[in-house]
Amino acid sequence: MEDEISKIQKIIRNQKDISFLHSGHLGDVINALPVIKELSKTHNCYFYLQSNKLLPAHAKGYKHPKDLIFLSDRMVEMLIPLLKCQPYIKKVEKYSNHKIDIDLDLFRKIPMNFNLGDEIRWYFQLTGIHTDLSIPYLFVEPHTT
């Protein structure tokens, strides 16, 4: 893990444009946004969502007996409009062999108990970027109809 985290920190230090990959779950994608927002103050951030990534055997059926993947195509299509509303993300697309600088799924390799619930700070550990979580990081225009 140390080598992978050092690589991420080197990318953050040396690149102006940074592409991120995430395969879900939905809450994990949302939890990554504060770090991306903070990085967007000094970087151009591009966010790619991977669909149909298989869950590891130990996680299958965790929330639902038929769960076999993190994000379905439909879930990605529904999430993209919300992420496109985030003014700090330059581009959001479904992943299709794009060049990726930081794989946000790496947090799953951190040796910790994931049964403790969603933890927004996992991404702090990966990037070394810490944010003030009292500042909004999810934005959306009011629904008009």
Side-chain angles (χ1 to χ4, degrees), residues 20-37 47-51 70-71 75-76 79-80 82-83 86 88-89 92 104-105 107-108 118-120 122-123 137-138:
F20 299 89
L21 176 67
H22 211 308
S23 66
H25 297 287
L26 292 173
D28 295 336
V29 173
I30 299 302
N31 284 345
L33 294 179
V35 164
I36 294 172
K37 181 178 181 246
F47 202 26
Y48 300 100
L49 297 171
Q50 182 178 6
S51 63
F70 287 100
L71 287 171
M75 292 166 97
V76 167
L79 186 55
I80 285 175
L82 174 65
L83 295 176
Q86 307 319 303
Y88 50 89
I89 302 175
V92 178
L104 293 170
D105 291 337
F107 83 87
R108 290 188 181 90
D118 290 336
E119 182 52 64
I120 206 164
W122 292 332
Y123 303 99
Y137 57 87
L138 190 59

Side-chain angles (χ1 to χ4, degrees), residues 99-118:
K99 177 190 169 286
I100 300 299
D101 298 309
I102 299 175
D103 182 350
L104 293 170
D105 291 337
L106 182 60
F107 83 87
R108 290 188 181 90
K109 293 182 182 178
I110 297 173
M112 70 176 102
N113 182 353
F114 289 100
N115 293 327
L116 297 175
D118 290 336

Side-chain angles (χ1 to χ4, degrees), residues 41-54:
K41 293 175 181 176
T42 55
H43 298 78
N44 295 315
C45 297
Y46 305 89
F47 202 26
Y48 300 100
L49 297 171
Q50 182 178 6
S51 63
N52 300 313
K53 183 174 180 179
L54 294 174

